[in-house]
């Protein structure tokens, strides 16, 4: 039996006709760029995240970039984040004209280690971007407390953590802004590109609404040099439907994670995901660790199991960031994880037999 890494077809089958009729409504109203369907989704998503505002944008990268811009991050500033994330986190910083500064991660949660922040801040530091990697939030209280003491902004990269919680608070709701991606494979995915910024700050929300629409408050009257970062009407309409199923889909992911745990715990040389007691993990990615990763990846692929690596090269070691001049060895935990991570199939529609098959093949590969 083959098991794909992701199965979007199975995910969309039960809501196919509902989605087609929603697309029909958008066509009937010709509400394609922004408009009422986006506005409705924004209200629903803000409520879901327990915040005052959600602003729909073009994708998660836009969300991060606009959140930084709206807070005045720019030329000469430094923004602290982690090296084990998708490059968009750092790109958003660079595209503002600021410089990404990295701190290493906690070895169990794979998120920002708050104890390392003190060694990373300089008089130029303006903001901190913790990344809620794989669907688990960073340890936010010490990060928020550190930021308060040093007058720094906190922007949450919640692009992998729709519906995740930290001490009862929703991912994205704790910092000055939270940034989401609705790329198709994310826990809440559009039918194309989309993203959102959530915030409780009325002024920041208003500014992002203007920036995402060419800096105009009124058509053809431009207050700022902005950008075209609007969400499509069709994506807004589809996301409203898919948001209703998000809690149930996350619940299923959590059950699959438990099943993997039951099948895979106790093998030496295999580290399973750790759910910190402070929160609720939504398993966007189910990544195990093994020192024989490359060998195991070949073995899994050979037996028809789709696997991924998130991510093979930490950002400070990427060619794109060579100019930062950070030597290998600077972030030993992130670097070790990059060598050892192996992401197993994880999606709400995974079947018990499929989990069984993934586990059997993996265990055979460990022998
Ligand atoms: C997906 C992702 C992004 C970027 O989102 P896009 O919608 O692809 O632009 C940013 N950060 C993280 C951690 C992500 O996983």
């Amino acid at each position: 039996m083959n098991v794909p890494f992701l199965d979007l077809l199975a995910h969309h089958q039960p809501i196919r006709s509902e989605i087609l009729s929603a697309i029909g409504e958008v066509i009937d109203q010709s509400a394609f760029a922004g408009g009422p369907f986006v506005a409705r989704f924004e209200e629903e998503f803000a409520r879901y995240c327990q915040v005052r505002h959600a602003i729909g944008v073009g994708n998660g990268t836009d969300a991060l970039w606009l959140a930084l811009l709206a807070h005045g991050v720019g030329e000469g500033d430094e923004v602290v984040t982690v090296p084990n994330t998708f490059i968009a986190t750092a790109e958003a910083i660079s595209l503002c004209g600021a410089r990404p500064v990295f701190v290493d991660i906690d070895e169990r949660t794979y998120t920002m280690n708050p104890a390392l922040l003190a060694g990373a801040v300089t008089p130029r530091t303006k903001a901190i971007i913790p990344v809620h990697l794989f669907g688990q939030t960073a340890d936010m209280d010490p990060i928020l407390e550190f930021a308060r003491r040093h007058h720094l902004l906190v922007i949450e990269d919640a692009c992998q953590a729709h519906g995740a919680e930290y001490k009862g608070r929703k991912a994205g709701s704790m910092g000055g802004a939270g940034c989401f991606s609705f790329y198709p494979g994310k826990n809440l995915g559009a039918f194309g590109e989309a993203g959102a910024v959530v915030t409780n700050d009325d002024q920041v929300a208003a500014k992002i609404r203007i920036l995402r629409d060419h800096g105009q408050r009124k058509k053809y009257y431009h207050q700022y040099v902005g950008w075209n970062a609007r969400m499509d009407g069709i994506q807004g309409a589809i996301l409203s439907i898919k948001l209703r199923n998000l809690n149930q889909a996350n619940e299923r992911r959590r059950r699959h994670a438990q099943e993997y745990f039951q099948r895979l715990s106790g093998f030496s040389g295999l580290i399973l995901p750790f759910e910190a007691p402070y929160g609720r993990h939504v398993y966007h990615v189910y990544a195990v660790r093994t020192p024989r990763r490359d060998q195991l990846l070949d073995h899994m692929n050979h037996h028809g199991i789709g696997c991924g690596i998130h991510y093979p090269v930490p950002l400070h070691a990427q060619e794109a960031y060579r100019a930062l001049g950070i030597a290998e060895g600077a972030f030993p935990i992130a670097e070790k994880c990059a060598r050892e991570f192996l992401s197993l199939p994880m999606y709400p529609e995974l079947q018990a037999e499929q989990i069984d098959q993934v586990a059997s093949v993996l265990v055979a590969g460990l022998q």
Side-chain angles (χ1 to χ4, degrees):
M1 190 201 334
N2 287 2
V3 184
F5 181 63
L6 200 65
D7 190 349
L8 287 179
L9 200 58
H11 187 51
H12 292 135
Q13 213 54 51
I15 52 172
R16 193 172 193 274
S17 64
E18 204 181 348
I19 285 183
L20 287 175
S21 77
I23 293 173
E25 275 182 60
V26 178
I27 294 172
D28 291 343
Q29 295 194 32
S30 300
F32 297 116
F37 295 96
V38 172
R40 187 181 64 188
F41 171 69
E42 288 174 338
E43 273 177 37
E44 294 165 349
F45 193 62
R47 204 174 315 129
Y48 182 84
C49 293
Q50 299 164 359
V51 293
R52 290 166 61 83
H53 307 281
I55 305 100
V57 296
N59 52 60
T61 313
D62 278 349
L64 288 159
W65 179 61
L66 292 177
L68 291 168
L69 274 190
H71 283 93
V73 175
E75 210 67 50
D77 294 333
E78 292 177 357
V79 178
V80 181
T81 190
V82 289
N84 66 321
T85 175
F86 183 56
I87 193 164
T89 319
E91 281 176 322
I93 298 166
S94 301
L95 269 274
C96 287
R99 177 187 176 89
V101 172
F102 300 114
V103 291
D104 211 347
I105 52 170
D106 176 83
E107 182 151 15
R108 294 212 292 172
T109 64
Y110 312 134
T111 60
M112 177 176 277
N113 182 345
L116 300 175
L117 286 170
V121 297
T122 75
R124 292 168 179 265
T125 309
K126 193 86 178 252
I128 305 172
I129 308 185
V131 178
H132 303 326
L133 197 77
F134 299 160
Q136 171 153 259
T137 69
D139 189 3
M140 290 301 289
D141 276 346
I143 295 171
L144 292 166
E145 176 53 29
F146 181 91
R148 220 171 357 251
R149 275 207 315 275
H150 293 81
H151 308 289
L152 302 173
L153 164 73
V154 175
I155 302 280
E156 298 173 63
D157 184 337
C159 287
Q160 300 188 0
H162 319 70
E165 289 177 13
Y166 177 78
K167 300 183 182 174
R169 287 174 277 169
K170 277 277 194 300
S173 70
M174 296 171 274
C179 302
F180 289 88
S181 164
F182 305 119
Y183 187 75
K186 303 287 166 101
N187 286 33
L188 179 60
F191 280 27
E193 305 279 346
V197 183
V198 301
T199 181
N200 283 312
D201 186 323
D202 298 348
Q203 278 173 347
V204 165
K207 188 157 182 190
I208 293 174
R209 284 184 195 286
I210 295 170
L211 287 172
R212 75 166 168 186
D213 192 19
H214 296 292
Q216 60 188 359
R217 198 188 286 280
K218 190 173 136 197
K219 202 168 174 73
Y220 304 134
Y221 291 81
H222 305 275
Q223 183 178 1
Y224 308 110
V225 177
W227 195 249
N228 176 359
R230 295 179 297 247
M231 183 190 279
D232 287 345
I234 283 178
Q235 305 307 342
I238 290 171
L239 286 166
S240 282
I241 292 170
K242 293 191 66 179
L243 179 60
R244 290 179 220 139
N245 302 321
L246 177 59
N247 283 342
Q248 191 195 29
N250 282 343
E251 203 45 56
R252 286 195 189 163
R253 288 172 184 270
R254 290 176 54 79
R255 271 210 304 278
H256 300 333
Q258 268 176 14
E259 288 156 17
Y260 272 137
F261 181 82
Q262 277 157 17
R263 285 296 313 265
L264 297 174
S265 59
F267 289 95
S268 70
L270 187 71
I271 299 172
L272 301 180
F274 166 74
E275 182 177 35
Y278 59 58
R280 178 184 159 83
H281 199 317
V282 294
Y283 295 98
H284 172 59
V285 167
Y286 189 90
V288 301
R289 276 168 62 197
T290 160
R292 294 162 54 229
R293 191 267 313 278
D294 292 339
Q295 218 178 317
L296 206 56
L297 176 63
D298 286 346
H299 168 82
M300 299 297 276
N301 287 337
H302 181 73
H303 289 87
I305 311 292
C307 288
I309 296 177
H310 301 93
Y311 298 91
V313 182
L315 297 186
H316 64 284
Q318 295 282 355
E319 190 178 346
Y321 278 117
R322 195 179 290 160
L324 292 177
I326 303 171
E328 268 194 64
F331 307 106
I333 298 171
E335 290 171 26
K336 185 171 175 210
C337 287
R339 288 191 299 269
E340 296 187 349
F341 273 147
L342 180 69
S343 308
L344 306 184
M346 173 54 84
Y347 46 88
E349 293 72 25
L350 258 185
Q351 300 300 307
E353 317 82 75
Q354 293 178 306
I355 293 176
D356 220 53
Q357 174 73 359
V358 174
S360 303
V361 172
L362 182 65
V363 168
L366 287 172
Q367 313 298 320

